[in-house]
Amino acid sequence: MTTSGLLAAAPRIVAVGVDGFAAPAADAGATVHQVEWRPPAAGDEDLGAKLARLTSHPAIERANTRALDAVLAVRPLLVDVAPAQDLIPQLAEERLLLHAGPPLPYERMCGPMRAAVVGAALLEGWAETPEQAERLAADGGIHFEPCHHHDAVGPMAGIISRSMPLLVVEDRDTGRRAYSNLNEGQGRCLRYGALGDDVMTRLRWMGERLGPSLRAALRSRDEPVDLRGLTAQALQMGDECHSRNTAASALLTRELAAGLARSADLGGVEALDFLSGNNYWFLNFSMAASKLAMDAGHGVEHSTLVTAFARNGVDVGIRVSGLGDAWFRAPAAAVDGLYFAGFGPDDANPDIGDSAITETHGLGGFAIAAAPAIVGFVGGTPERARRISREMAGLTLGRHRDYQLPGLDFVGSPVGIDIRKVVDTGLEPVVTTGISHREPGIGQIGAGLTHAPLRCFTEALAAFHEPCD
């Protein structure tokens, strides 16, 4: 085209870089399309050079194929519900509480996690008053370790104590197991840091009646519950199986209903009443299934696959398949969302909980295109949800064979976050999550979207050993 032809119509410009580059052209009447671009490795020259050497490295590609294949091969089955001390012996042997996120001493814990510690101490009879429980924890009378260090995951504060019932998810082929506590439902809950007689009464009922009735219901079945199948169905019904679990909870309740009805003497009818009003019920099952799958891909030498992403309200941490059990951390991020009446961002605790394990498995924020009903609640639009799921595919090693997204023509959900791709693009993985009040004893105040901080990934890449071959 000639110069005169180019000038015959208003120019159309693609702008790359800072927004200021586009403004003068737009002011002059040009049509400007701003491309979101960030320099690789956050502009760090040495890390960028290392990223270039690791990109498409044959040894890493082989390792990632092996790790992702192991993740996708897992068939998570719900096989049992049992007291935590029967499944994690260390809980029975010492005064130990498990918590969400990477390791954290009591003195650094945020308000909602401290409240959950107090509630667990009261539940176990280690203290008679909240004040006694606080002193016991502050004086070193209680030990703390991450749920992730014991094949377990817990939402929000994630506190697991010895008498709490845990659900047991098992891989059909290998027999490996993962655990999570049972979901308390909506309203005032220990996981969000709420405290009071109502919270404690529900927890005691869950241990004394709900857990035993669920165990009896599962044992009365001819076969375990296939959680992968339920998750795949739920994605076709408007769930993303992190913040929205309405369909999945109904499907799981249907699977358990007959067995619960048969265990009326153990509390089965009470359990059915509870489950009928608990749309969050499936979350903990989704988390345990995701934990089981991602652990299968952990420990593969040279793999850059993210196998855990967890938050404790103070720090966010990731673990990487080829980097052993090390945590790579950054300060916990704020949550961008909608708040219950009377609350706002100044009341919110930073991001907290193990539930982001679902994102590493292709659910939650990575599958948000499947859940149009949740989009408004987390402050967005259906188109934004589709865009997020498409963007997250650029950070992953592949797509899930069974978890398909109807909002994107049934393509598989993006699965297997690759630290190289996050550092290369500068895009931070998206997470759907709840919001807890920063002060102990209050509980949930909203829900929204947040991100895994880029710093976690740059530090992991910096620590990654370059393969020799």
Side-chain angles (χ1 to χ4, degrees):
M1 183 178 291
T2 64
T3 302
S4 59
L6 285 171
L7 298 177
R12 290 176 293 176
I13 297 172
V14 175
V16 179
V18 297
D19 293 344
F21 291 168
D27 292 342
T31 299
V32 181
H33 178 72
Q34 178 71 43
V35 176
E36 292 187 15
W37 178 84
R38 302 172 181 84
D44 184 305
E45 184 176 346
D46 292 337
L47 192 61
K50 183 175 185 179
L51 173 64
R53 295 192 297 272
L54 297 180
T55 299
S56 299
H57 193 292
I60 295 176
E61 299 305 316
R62 291 192 299 269
N64 282 340
T65 297
R66 178 184 163 197
L68 185 61
D69 285 349
V71 168
L72 297 178
V74 170
R75 187 66 176 265
L77 304 176
L78 174 61
V79 298
D80 200 4
V81 172
Q85 62 188 353
D86 294 349
L87 302 168
I88 303 173
Q90 195 173 345
L91 288 172
E93 296 165 0
E94 60 181 275
R95 194 174 282 170
L96 171 69
L97 294 179
L98 307 185
H99 64 80
L104 188 72
Y106 180 76
E107 58 267 22
R108 292 190 65 228
M109 287 183 181
C110 62
M113 187 172 285
R114 283 177 177 243
V117 167
V118 168
L122 295 173
L123 180 69
E124 300 303 336
W126 298 341
E128 295 183 359
T129 66
E131 293 75 19
Q132 288 180 1
E134 290 174 2
R135 286 196 298 270
L136 183 68
D139 292 342
I142 302 174
H143 298 145
F144 301 96
E145 294 182 10
C147 294
H148 269 289
H149 292 188
H150 295 272
D151 301 319
V153 280
M156 303 308 290
I159 297 296
I160 294 175
S161 66
R162 61 178 61 175
S163 69
M164 291 181 180
L166 298 188
L167 60 93
V168 182
V169 179
E170 183 176 282
D171 180 26
R172 171 171 287 173
D173 293 333
T174 65
R176 292 178 55 256
R177 288 182 162 190
Y179 315 108
S180 183
N181 47 9
L182 299 180
N183 193 281
E184 301 161 82
Q186 297 167 248
R188 287 170 42 78
C189 300
L190 190 74
R191 70 181 187 274
Y192 278 104
L195 277 176
D197 291 342
D198 55 335
V199 175
M200 301 309 299
T201 297
R202 186 192 301 121
L203 288 173
R204 293 188 181 99
W205 171 79
M206 292 174 73
E208 296 167 2
R209 301 286 282 177
L210 180 60
S213 65
L214 288 169
R215 169 174 254 195
L218 286 167
R219 292 186 172 187
S220 73
R221 292 173 53 88
D222 293 332
E223 58 184 21
V225 179
D226 180 356
L227 294 178
R228 187 168 70 180
L230 290 187
T231 301
Q233 279 185 270
L235 288 172
Q236 307 305 308
M237 298 168 69
D239 285 357
E240 37 75 77
C241 294
H242 182 168
S243 285
R244 189 178 195 274
N245 289 277
T246 304
S249 297
L251 292 169
L252 179 56
T253 300
R254 184 181 68 177
E255 292 285 336
L256 298 173
L260 287 171
R262 289 191 293 267
S263 63
D265 58 324
L266 297 174
V269 176
E270 302 164 36
L272 282 171
D273 284 340
F274 174 70
L275 299 186
S276 68
N278 185 355
N279 290 331
Y280 292 99
W281 174 239
F282 191 76
L283 169 61
N284 300 49
F285 298 86
S286 178
M287 290 170 57
S290 296
K291 167 70 172 170
L292 186 68
M294 300 315 300
D295 276 0
H298 190 70
V300 178
E301 187 179 15
H302 305 320
S303 173
T304 55
L305 171 71
V306 175
T307 53
F309 168 30
R311 314 94 87 206
N312 56 35
V314 177
D315 300 325
V316 173
I318 66 169
R319 292 167 111 179
V320 178
S321 178
L323 289 173
D325 293 332
W327 288 95
F328 299 93
R329 309 191 199 196
V335 180
D336 178 18
L338 299 182
Y339 290 85
F340 301 161
F343 299 104
D346 291 342
D347 303 307
N349 198 82
D351 194 20
I352 184 172
D354 285 336
S355 56
I357 190 68
T358 57
E359 269 76 10
T360 67
H361 195 213
L363 301 171
F366 284 56
I368 196 171
I374 198 179
V375 173
F377 188 58
V378 297
T381 64
E383 175 51 37
R384 183 189 179 198
R386 291 189 290 271
R387 176 173 57 81
I388 289 171
S389 288
R390 286 192 292 263
E391 287 178 347
M392 294 303 99
L395 306 182
T396 60
L397 296 172
R399 292 187 177 271
H400 205 290
R401 294 187 289 266
D402 299 290
Y403 298 166
Q404 299 176 349
L405 309 180
L408 292 177
D409 297 326
F410 297 95
V411 68
S413 63
V415 63
I417 301 169
D418 183 348
I419 60 170
R420 297 174 303 173
K421 294 184 178 183
V422 176
V423 175
D424 185 27
T425 62
L427 285 176
E428 297 174 318
V430 172
V431 183
T432 58
T433 188
I435 305 173
S436 180
H437 199 288
R438 65 172 58 251
E439 298 296 331
I442 297 176
Q444 185 179 13
I445 60 172
L449 296 177
T450 189
H451 298 81
L454 182 62
R455 176 175 154 186
C456 297
F457 301 89
T458 57
E459 291 194 358
L461 191 74
F464 199 85
H465 299 293
E466 298 181 40
C468 296
D469 60 336

